[in-house]
Amino acid sequence: MDPTDLGYIENEDTPGMKVFKGATSGLVAGTIWGTVVATWHDVPRVERRVALPGLVRTLKMMGNYGLIFAAIGSVYIGVEQLMQHYRMKRDFINGAVGGFVAGASILGYKGRSISTAISAGTALAVTSAVIDVGGQKTRIDNGKEYYPYTVKKRPAVTDNSLS
């Protein structure tokens, strides 16, 4: 898809809808990540006939990660939209400020220290700015198209054994 077409699609959504989409996608991604983390670390092995405590711990971790990711997504998009509205520009600075505020407020509050807030905000701001400056692409277009299936036709199989 051409980046200009993507801009037209993005402009159809209201800022509130963009914040809602950011929160929803953050909730889904965080819930999935919480499941992965729960299977790696926190959930003890399930004992015989006592599966409920492990399930409750897994659900709590899924919920915690889901809410944190949803908060980050909604704060990031909300601040980015506010910056775009007040600056009347659409550039990488909007995303960088949104990333810094989201990282500093959500992750800084969770870490309960100023240094954690500044570090998390800076990390999200730099990541957002690099992606925005790079044209919102994570790989270089080398002209090849990759499909999950084969597009070349196979030669027809003929039965030479009958002749």
Side-chain angles (χ1 to χ4, degrees):
M1 178 175 275
D2 189 30
T4 57
D5 294 339
L6 184 62
Y8 293 130
I9 291 172
E10 285 182 359
N11 289 335
E12 291 177 4
D13 289 338
T14 63
M17 182 55 76
K18 289 181 181 180
V19 170
F20 177 75
K21 285 180 179 180
T24 304
S25 61
L27 179 68
V28 170
T31 303
I32 292 169
W33 183 248
T35 306
V36 170
V37 170
T39 57
W40 282 342
H41 297 289
D42 194 46
V43 179
R45 66 172 194 256
V46 178
E47 299 173 11
R48 268 193 222 171
R49 300 184 196 105
V50 188
L52 191 59
L55 179 63
V56 169
R57 284 190 195 109
T58 301
L59 292 175
K60 282 183 180 178
M61 286 192 78
M62 289 169 59
N64 286 339
Y65 277 97
L67 291 176
I68 289 169
F69 278 48
I72 290 171
S74 60
V75 169
Y76 172 79
I77 301 270
V79 171
E80 182 184 40
Q81 291 298 306
L82 284 173
M83 290 294 294
Q84 183 177 339
H85 176 73
Y86 286 115
R87 290 182 66 230
M88 299 290 182
K89 290 182 182 178
R90 187 173 179 187
D91 57 4
F92 73 96
I93 295 174
N94 299 338
V97 172
F100 184 81
V101 171
S105 62
I106 305 301
L107 297 175
Y109 177 75
K110 189 174 187 296
R112 299 192 190 281
S113 74
I114 298 295
S115 63
T116 302
I118 291 172
S119 300
T122 303
L124 281 167
V126 168
T127 303
S128 176
V130 166
I131 291 174
D132 285 346
V133 167
Q136 298 180 352
K137 293 183 181 179
T138 56
R139 65 183 176 134
I140 298 170
D141 184 17
N142 58 5
K144 295 181 182 178
E145 294 185 25
Y146 296 98
Y147 297 101
Y149 51 86
T150 305
V151 294
K152 294 180 182 178
K153 292 188 177 187
R154 294 183 181 171
V157 178
T158 59
D159 194 11
N160 292 335
S161 61
L162 294 176
S163 30

